[in-house]
Every structure is written in C-alpha cells, then in structure tokens.
C-alpha cells in the first residue's frame, strides 16, 4: 500500500481542515511539516526493522509515519481525544502501529514497553523536562531517546560544569545518559511555528557511571546545592538543612559553587553525606 506523505504543509492543512481541527496551544501542538526533518530524526534514532519505539504525542502521525516506514514497531501515547480518529485514517494500513490514548505522565510505560525500546518524539514543550526526567528515572529498558525540544532546554541538558546553565537538569540527564544536540530546527518547520528555536537531542541511555548509595538522596543534595546558585556549596547545603560540620568534613572544597562540580564530585559528596547521617 502506498501512503501519502503527512510531513508536508499542504497535507497537514488538508488533514486539519478535513477533521475540523486547530492546533491546541495548551497541548503544545506544533505539527511538523518538513519531511527532511522527519527523515533526520529517524536517522538519528538509528531505527532498524523491528525496533520497538515509544512515541509521545503522535499528533496527526507525521513522525510516526517516518518511524513506521523505517520498519519500527511504534507504540504512541496521545492525550488529545480528537486525534485517534485522525490517526486511524492517516496511518491506515500500517500494521506495526499501536495507539494508547492517555497522558504520558500517567500511563504505565514499564507495562507498555517490557522489551528494550527507544523513544522518538516531537515533545509537547510545556512538559518537556517532566517527560524526560520521568522516563530516565523509571529504570526502564530504554536504550535511546531522540526528541525535538526547545533549544534552550537542549543547551541545559548538555551543559558542562563551569557553564552558567549547568544545573540540576544537566546532572539528572547526564547521570543516566550521554546527551548530545544533533541539529537545530527552525520555527518554519512546524504548523503553527513555535516562538522558539528547537533542537533534536539524542540521549544514549546508560547506567550511572559510578556507584550511588542512594539515588534519591543524591537528587536531594544536587537540588539543595543549586537552590542558591550564587552561594558557596557550604552555604546552600547548610540553608537546606545539611549540617555544616559534615559538609566541611567531605573531601570536596565547599567554598566552591555548585556549578563547578562535576557529576562524579557530586556523587562523592552525596555518598559521603549519606554515610554521615
Ligand atoms: N508528533 C507530531 C508532530 O511531530 O507533528 C505532534 C507533535 S506536537 C509538538 C505534541 C503532541 O503531544 C501533540 O499531539 C499533543 O496533543 C501531544 N500531547 C500533549 N501533551 C501530552 C501528554 N501529556 N501525553 C501525551 N501526548 C501529549
């Protein structure tokens, strides 16, 4: 069966008109209309025939079609109740497509995706970081995440120690993956165009590169350290309730600011403070 291409401005307008739909701003709906970008996302995801892929927010099926054409088995979670009827038509005939109606932050991803899988998505921007952190923290059999997000968030995810934008998000993402920015995407590639430049980020998911005695405690230390960026580690941790003597007893120089600590230094500090409790 030959399928018409959805990633095209005329085809997208036609589908929206036919189903009497408008992009809903509150659901972060900016539909991709550029076939080249779809191809580059699919390439970045290194899809092989039979790969299990979770897509978040298939919309009218634009990226989904690219993934299916590459041979992926796609499970897509969509919140907008008006879109299943559209997807049934735009993706009619594709066998390896499964639609789950619901909120990605509420569905049981572990039950849906029991085998190793990749995530590919043009994410709704109002919940980008929540979605990424939830996926990374759940310890799923997830191998790769390829997502379109705001360039500004992509920069924070990939920031290195010493940079002004290095913070709790950089650490949370880099703890469980190796993220890199694959390419930028201009607003004209979407209908309607978003107000910001977008970027496609690839995260190769892996286990934390060092031992963490207690991951939740590590997250608490990182959050506390960055809660007052301009203060020294000693002062920000002490204001968050950690004891000064214990902070001073660690082998990390606590006159430094949080933004100068590498991931492994944070791990050392958190493991030490945990042992002192
Ligand atoms: N994948 C399509 C594309 O590339 O054209 C649409 C991407 S659009 C930026 C984001 C999609 O996520 C929309 O279809 C929107 O309805 C859906 N969405 C928004 N919030 C969601 C949520 N909490 N769970 C699942 N899907 C959601």
């Amino acid at each position: 069966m030959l399928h018409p291409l959805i990633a095209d401005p005329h085809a997208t307008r036609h589908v929206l008109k036919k189903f009497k739909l408008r992009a809903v701003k509150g659901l972060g709906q900016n539909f991709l209309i550029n076939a080249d970008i779809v191809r580059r996302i699919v390439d970045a995801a290194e899809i092989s025939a039979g790969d299990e892929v979770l897509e978040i927010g298939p919309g009218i099926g634009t990226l989904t079609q690219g993934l299916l054409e590459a041979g992926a088995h796609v499970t897509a979670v969509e919140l907008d109740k008006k879109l299943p009827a559209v997807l049934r038509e735009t993706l009619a005939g594709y066998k390896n497509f499964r639609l789950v109606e619901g909120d990605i932050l509420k569905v049981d991803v572990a039950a849906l995706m029991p085998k190793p899988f990749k995530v590919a998505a043009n994410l709704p921007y109002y919940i980008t970081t929540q979605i990424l952190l939830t996926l990374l923290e759940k310890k799923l059999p997830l191998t790769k995440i390829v997502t379109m997000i705001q360039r500004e968030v992509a920069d924070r995810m990939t920031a290195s120690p010493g940079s002004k934008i290095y913070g709790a998000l950089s650490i949370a993402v880099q703890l469980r993956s190796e993220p890199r920015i694959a390419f930028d995407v201009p607003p004209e590639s979407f209908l309607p165009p978003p107000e910001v430049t977008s970027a496609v980020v690839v995260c190769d998911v892996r286990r934390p590169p060092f031992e963490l005695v207690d991951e939740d405690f590590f997250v608490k230390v990182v959050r506390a350290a960055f809660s007052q960026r301009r203060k020294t580690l000693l002062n920000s941790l002490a204001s968050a309730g950690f004891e000064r003597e214990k902070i001073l007893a660690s082998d990390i120089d606590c006159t430094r600011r949080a933004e100068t600590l590498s991931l492994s230094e944070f791990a050392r500090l958190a493991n030490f403070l945990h042992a002192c409790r």
Side-chain angles (χ1 to χ4, degrees):
M1 180 172 178
L2 208 58
H3 288 85
L5 197 65
I6 311 166
D8 167 271
H10 301 292
T12 300
R13 280 200 189 89
H14 171 76
V15 169
L16 294 179
K17 198 170 166 202
K18 180 170 177 190
F19 287 88
K20 299 190 176 65
L21 293 174
R22 278 167 177 249
V24 182
K25 210 173 172 188
L27 286 173
Q29 290 183 348
N30 299 96
F31 300 112
L32 260 173
I33 49 170
N34 183 328
D36 188 47
I37 301 294
V38 171
R39 185 189 53 75
R40 291 173 72 190
I41 296 175
V42 174
D43 285 352
E46 298 177 327
I47 301 292
S48 308
D51 276 0
E52 293 291 332
V53 175
L54 172 69
E55 187 188 0
I56 297 150
I60 62 169
T62 314
L63 174 60
T64 329
Q65 184 178 40
L67 295 164
L68 290 165
E69 288 286 343
H73 292 190
V74 181
T75 298
V77 179
E78 175 57 62
L79 181 60
D80 186 343
K81 290 191 164 39
K82 291 189 178 159
L83 292 175
V86 179
L87 289 162
R88 270 195 290 280
E89 181 164 319
T90 56
L91 299 178
Y94 285 106
K95 289 204 173 58
N96 297 318
F97 175 61
R98 172 169 64 147
L99 179 64
V100 177
E101 298 181 37
D103 182 342
I104 187 62
L105 297 174
K106 294 190 183 143
V107 298
D108 184 353
V109 178
L112 272 184
M113 310 298 295
K115 292 193 217 150
F117 72 101
K118 298 173 177 175
V119 163
N122 170 16
L123 286 180
Y125 291 177
Y126 73 107
I127 41 169
T128 306
T129 52
Q130 249 178 299
I131 294 176
L132 291 172
L133 294 182
T134 308
L135 287 172
L136 287 168
E137 280 163 13
K138 276 192 175 153
K139 300 194 179 95
L140 301 160
L142 174 58
T143 58
K144 200 187 255 305
I145 306 180
V146 179
T147 49
M148 174 95 73
I149 59 177
Q150 308 90 309
R151 171 75 208 210
E152 172 266 325
V153 178
D155 286 336
R156 287 197 284 129
M157 284 168 63
T158 53
S160 307
S163 131
K164 280 209 168 71
I165 52 171
Y166 176 71
L169 178 66
S170 329
I171 291 176
V173 171
Q174 293 170 30
L175 178 66
R176 296 184 180 86
S177 76
E178 284 173 22
R180 66 183 169 84
I181 297 178
F183 56 93
D184 283 342
V185 182
E188 314 81 81
S189 296
F190 303 87
L191 185 79
E195 276 149 23
V196 293
T197 294
S198 305
V200 170
V201 175
V202 178
C203 297
D204 287 311
V205 182
R206 53 141 171 72
R207 294 163 69 88
F210 33 71
E211 200 202 337
L212 283 179
V213 177
D214 180 335
E215 283 196 27
D216 292 340
F217 187 80
F218 172 84
V219 171
K220 257 188 218 157
V221 171
V222 171
R223 290 216 179 111
F226 282 106
S227 61
Q228 288 158 304
R229 286 186 79 96
R230 300 172 69 84
K231 287 194 177 177
T232 62
L233 265 182
L234 177 62
N235 287 336
S236 5
L237 291 174
S239 342
F242 292 93
E243 286 178 44
R244 279 182 178 269
E245 300 73 55
K246 291 177 183 165
I247 306 166
L248 285 167
S250 96
D251 70 345
I252 304 290
D253 171 5
C254 289
T255 62
R256 290 165 63 185
R257 288 184 182 176
E259 69 205 41
T260 69
L261 261 67
S262 68
L263 212 61
S264 63
E265 286 176 316
F266 264 116
R268 250 163 54 212
L269 178 62
N271 286 344
F272 177 80
L273 293 175
H274 190 272
C276 293
R277 290 190 315 166

